[in-house]
Amino acid sequence: MKALIIIDMLNDFVTGELACERAQRIIPNIRRLAEAARAAGDLVVFSNDAHLAEGDAEFKIWGPHAIAGTPGAQVIPELAPQPGDFVVPKRRYSGFYGTDLNLLLQEHGVKDVILTGLHTNICVRHTCNDAFLNGYTIFVPEDGVEAFTEKDHVEGLDYLKRVYGAHITTTSELVA
Ligand code: ZN
């Protein structure tokens, strides 16, 4: 069983408080991957920042963003979750830390995870770390993840490959 994990494709990360123009190019690719996953009966999981309104640890570094219950914390309209998808809120970089994600994947017999979304070198990286520690086989489409800069993106991908053995691939290869 496979799971497509869509990380932080939220209004605040794409067009809001921490807007990332580079995220635009990955939107159609993630949509393609999500449609293919739903058609194949694979899991589609949104791993979404959902911070407390005040005092969350990340705010010292990034400022307030993706506060639970606000429009900024909602998935961008282009990728809105569909019936049957799962939404797993998180308050740290990793989608696994302090969340229901590992249990959800285990309950569905997931062995392979496809990581997409933002950012290659931050939340994707930390989620990849925990996916590796938990024994999942990891695929990362290079055109399905992004970062604030090309350097962050390229170095982020290289790290995922070298350190976690992630298979760096493309959307077209994954939906073929
Ligand atoms: Zn955050």
Side-chain angles (χ1 to χ4, degrees):
M1 182 64 136
K2 284 187 240 172
L4 174 69
I5 301 180
I6 302 171
I7 300 165
D8 285 342
M9 289 301 284
L10 312 179
N11 290 321
D12 266 354
F13 284 95
V14 178
T15 55
E17 288 297 323
L18 299 174
C20 176
E21 180 60 32
R22 294 171 57 91
Q24 293 296 328
R25 77 159 184 128
I26 66 175
I27 295 170
N29 299 329
I30 296 174
R31 191 149 71 182
R32 243 180 109 194
L33 288 164
E35 285 166 1
R38 290 175 191 124
D42 297 334
L43 244 56
V44 175
V45 183
F46 290 84
S47 176
N48 291 351
D49 247 10
H51 289 296
L52 303 179
E54 282 181 37
D56 224 320
E58 284 182 12
F59 291 0
K60 292 187 192 110
I61 299 161
W62 302 101
H65 63 276
I67 293 167
T70 67
Q74 286 176 357
V75 174
I76 59 170
E78 299 94 317
L79 297 175
Q82 303 294 308
D85 295 350
F86 293 90
V87 177
V88 180
K90 66 184 178 74
R91 293 207 289 119
R92 296 291 187 267
Y93 298 145
S94 170
F96 287 89
Y97 190 87
T99 77
D100 201 34
L101 182 57
N102 199 42
L103 185 60
L104 176 71
L105 298 179
Q106 285 179 357
E107 283 173 342
H108 288 82
V110 170
K111 305 285 186 209
D112 297 348
V113 294
I114 300 168
L115 302 182
T116 63
L118 299 168
H119 293 100
T120 316
N121 61 323
I122 310 173
C123 289
V124 175
R125 170 168 160 173
H126 287 267
T127 302
C128 192
N129 172 70
D130 286 341
F132 173 75
L133 298 187
N134 283 295
Y136 296 99
T137 301
I138 302 159
F139 297 86
V140 181
E142 65 81 20
D143 56 357
V145 292
E146 258 303 353
F148 284 122
T149 68
E150 179 72 10
K151 183 171 183 285
D152 286 347
H153 176 63
V154 170
E155 289 180 359
L157 285 173
D158 182 61
Y159 191 94
L160 303 183
K161 183 178 173 182
R162 280 191 297 113
V163 178
Y164 306 124
H167 302 277
I168 308 301
T169 178
T170 65
T171 295
S172 291
E173 282 175 0
L174 287 169
V175 300

